[in-house]
Amino acid sequence: MKTVAVIGLGKFGAYIVKSLSRLDVKVIAVDNDEKKIQEISEYIDDAFILDSTNKTALEEVGIYNLNTVIVSIGENIEASILTVMALKDLNNKYVIAKAITSTHGEILSKIGAFKVIYPEKIAGRLLVKKLIDNITVEEIDISNSIKMVKLVVNENFIYKKISEIEAEFKYLKIVSYKTNETWCLDVTPSYQVKKDDMLVLLGESKYIKDFYAYVK
């Protein structure tokens, strides 16, 4: 069974632990707050109160030589940095770390974090899209230059064929669509989009901006 460690049990960290607990994954959760450990213990067996900057403490609870460790420490930037350093010294392969500022993220990358994420920025961006665009939009970064976008169609799409939409946005590809509560992965170019359908598109980030101007 794969083991994943999550360090820091704020809202983001706790959400990850709860989600992983429903999968075939052993989860080790760590925080220095006893109350948070008690709450997360309802979902997993291996939850520990400890100082995550202490290499010996991490090693004692099994957080060494792991494939994936997620560091979700909040405002304490120093603890976040020291924790990532300790995890790398303990030969953990992929350390994914939460950052609260760009500078924080740059430091985490330089000291060995495999990936740096900004949950607050992601949540804020999605909220703004929903409020301003008046449309349900989800965006996923596939790489530095490729994005995947899922959206509920508006009047600009209704009654258009998949082929017509792709012809209009030559640099975007429709990879699936949902109609009548059923997802269609085998995209039919002649399919005519209906009200309340959902589309999933793939394309380069630089073209997504122009696409958003159309879907408002």
Side-chain angles (χ1 to χ4, degrees):
M1 180 183 292
K2 181 178 180 180
T3 299
V4 176
V6 179
I7 300 175
L9 298 175
K11 290 181 180 179
F12 181 66
Y15 175 80
I16 292 173
V17 171
K18 292 173 185 177
S19 299
L20 290 173
S21 71
R22 295 191 289 268
L23 306 175
D24 186 24
V25 176
K26 176 184 176 181
V27 184
I28 302 174
V30 167
D31 200 285
N32 59 4
D33 186 322
E34 182 179 357
K35 183 179 179 182
K36 290 178 180 178
I37 292 298
Q38 289 176 344
E39 291 173 350
I40 211 66
S41 293
E42 297 179 15
Y43 301 90
I44 61 171
D45 296 326
D46 298 295
F48 304 96
I49 307 168
L50 57 81
D51 175 4
S52 62
T53 67
N54 186 320
K55 284 194 291 185
T56 301
L58 291 171
E59 191 170 14
E60 287 177 349
V61 299
I63 305 179
Y64 62 93
N65 295 330
L66 296 183
N67 193 62
T68 305
V69 181
I70 300 169
V71 180
S72 180
I73 296 175
E75 298 297 323
N76 193 333
I77 294 178
E78 181 181 357
S80 167
I81 293 169
L82 292 175
T83 295
V84 171
M85 292 174 65
L87 291 169
K88 295 304 295 182
D89 286 345
L90 290 169
N91 297 317
N92 294 287
K93 189 174 182 181
Y94 297 121
V95 178
I96 301 169
K98 168 186 171 181
I100 58 175
T101 67
S102 298
T103 302
H104 182 199
E106 288 175 9
I107 295 171
L108 293 173
S109 295
K110 287 179 179 178
I111 62 175
F114 170 72
K115 185 175 180 63
V116 176
I117 54 178
Y118 301 85
E120 286 82 3
K121 287 185 179 181
I122 294 170
R125 187 168 66 241
L126 291 176
L127 179 59
V128 167
K129 282 189 173 70
K130 290 181 180 180
L131 293 176
I132 297 178
D133 295 349
N134 193 29
I135 187 170
T136 301
V137 175
E138 292 182 32
E139 181 181 300
I140 300 172
D141 290 321
I142 303 300
S143 70
N144 290 334
S145 60
I146 302 295
K147 291 182 182 289
M148 180 177 286
V149 178
K150 181 174 76 173
L151 58 92
V152 177
V153 301
N154 66 6
E155 63 275 6
N156 291 327
F157 294 97
I158 297 173
Y159 305 127
K160 284 190 175 182
K161 295 179 181 179
I162 295 291
S163 58
E164 292 174 336
I165 298 172
E166 289 187 333
E168 190 165 356
F169 299 96
K170 297 178 182 178
Y171 300 100
L172 299 179
K173 177 69 176 177
I174 296 175
V175 294
S176 65
Y177 58 87
K178 182 181 180 181
T179 184
N180 297 325
E181 300 302 318
T182 300
W183 280 104
C184 301
L185 300 178
D186 186 12
V187 177
T188 304
S190 60
Y191 174 74
Q192 194 172 50
V193 176
K194 298 183 294 187
K195 183 181 178 182
D196 298 326
D197 279 1
M198 296 186 74
L199 299 178
V200 177
L201 304 99
L202 194 66
E204 292 186 54
S205 303
K206 59 185 177 182
Y207 299 115
I208 297 295
K209 184 177 180 181
D210 294 335
F211 177 73
Y212 281 145
Y214 182 84
V215 301
K216 286 183 179 180

